[in-house]
Amino acid sequence: VGNLYTVNIDGTGLTRLTSFVSGGSPGGAFWPCWNATGTSIAFAGSMVSGGTSYYQIFTVNSSGGALTQVTHVVPGGTPASAAYPAWNPMNNTIYFTGVVPRLGEVAPQLFRINADGSALAQVTNFSAGSDPERAEDCEVSHDGTTLVFAGGRVIGGEDQYQVYRMPTGGGTVTRLTNLPSVGPYTGAAYPTWYRDDTVINFAGYIRVGDSNQSQLFEINAGGGTPVQLTNFFMGGSPQSGISPSSR
């Protein structure tokens, strides 16, 4: 069972914020995200209904206490699950990855909602065969104007993800990476804004033998050639790196 904790950067002051138990509602906490003032944390809580597992977005004060349920999604609805929350630093809007039923499959798309649960809106609505076909793992720029996200599509029967950006209110989507579907680099995920919104970090997947190994990369916010930041190796400590964050 996943629970939320805070700890000082020197390793002191470990504090437990939630006390979820297996079979509870929620039954665990995942993908926490701070708001800009450091007073509240959004996270995805795991739920089960009629044998179907899904997620809802909750918030909790940074010191712990009562939860606030932000989303009230229903399995089979639009969205059918809510995960990977990302707070807009300029307001109380939370962006998240929502699962959308589509032609016999489920396709993650981006949604936004106010922290009080109002004004739910779908931000992306990519179709099968488009570039990308799905969107997830978003983060909002520090000035609140631009989303960066991992966009996926099927190539050669396999999902492949690249890094994209778009305005927070919707609009033109720009692809930033062009990692090949074959060869040593197989995709990108977990993008995050860095510095003064001019650089984006992400996890890039590298084929090592029969498995994928993740390394950290950075790329200019306008696109270009990614720069590899880490060179972990299988059996090392650590041996991979995922989900970078500047917040």
Side-chain angles (χ1 to χ4, degrees):
V1 177
N3 276 289
L4 297 184
Y5 294 78
T6 59
V7 65
N8 297 327
I9 58 175
D10 64 0
T12 63
L14 179 67
T15 303
R16 183 170 179 171
L17 304 182
T18 60
S19 298
F20 302 135
V21 296
S22 179
S25 183
F30 303 88
W31 309 296
C33 176
W34 292 92
N35 69 348
T37 60
T39 58
S40 186
I41 300 170
F43 66 93
S46 58
M47 315 288 284
V48 177
S49 177
T52 299
S53 298
Y54 64 106
Y55 294 95
Q56 302 276 15
I57 303 298
F58 294 82
T59 60
V60 64
N61 289 337
S62 58
S63 58
L67 305 181
T68 298
Q69 185 170 341
V70 179
T71 62
H72 294 81
V73 304
V74 178
T78 300
S81 186
Y84 301 106
W87 225 303
N88 188 326
M90 302 304 292
N91 54 44
N92 279 327
T93 302
I94 298 172
Y95 289 78
F96 65 91
T97 301
V99 174
V100 177
R102 183 180 68 190
L103 299 177
E105 63 170 357
V106 291
Q109 302 287 346
L110 301 184
F111 291 76
R112 67 173 180 264
I113 191 170
N114 292 334
D116 64 4
S118 64
L120 173 66
Q122 186 169 342
V123 178
T124 65
N125 190 23
F126 301 125
S127 59
S130 67
D131 181 14
E133 299 176 342
R134 55 184 67 87
E136 53 190 284
D137 302 335
C138 72
E139 188 175 90
V140 186
S141 59
H142 296 84
D143 64 6
T145 65
T146 309
L147 290 170
V148 64
F149 65 92
R153 58 179 179 157
V154 177
I155 299 178
E158 295 186 2
D159 285 336
Q160 192 210 24
Y161 283 83
Q162 305 281 356
V163 177
Y164 297 78
R165 60 179 288 175
M166 69 180 296
T168 50
T172 301
V173 176
T174 302
R175 180 170 166 176
L176 302 181
T177 60
N178 191 31
L179 301 176
S181 58
V182 296
Y185 300 103
T186 59
Y190 306 111
T192 183
W193 293 96
Y194 182 58
R195 298 175 186 166
D196 55 355
D197 291 339
T198 62
V199 174
I200 294 166
N201 293 138
F202 65 92
Y205 293 101
I206 299 175
R207 179 70 68 178
V208 179
D210 294 329
S211 63
N212 286 330
Q213 182 188 36
S214 57
Q215 303 283 356
L216 301 184
F217 291 78
E218 71 175 20
I219 190 172
N220 289 335
T225 301
V227 176
Q228 186 171 338
L229 303 178
T230 62
N231 191 27
F232 303 130
F233 59 92
M234 300 301 289
S237 180
Q239 61 183 11
S240 66
I242 63 171
S243 194
S245 179
S246 61
R247 300 174 186 169

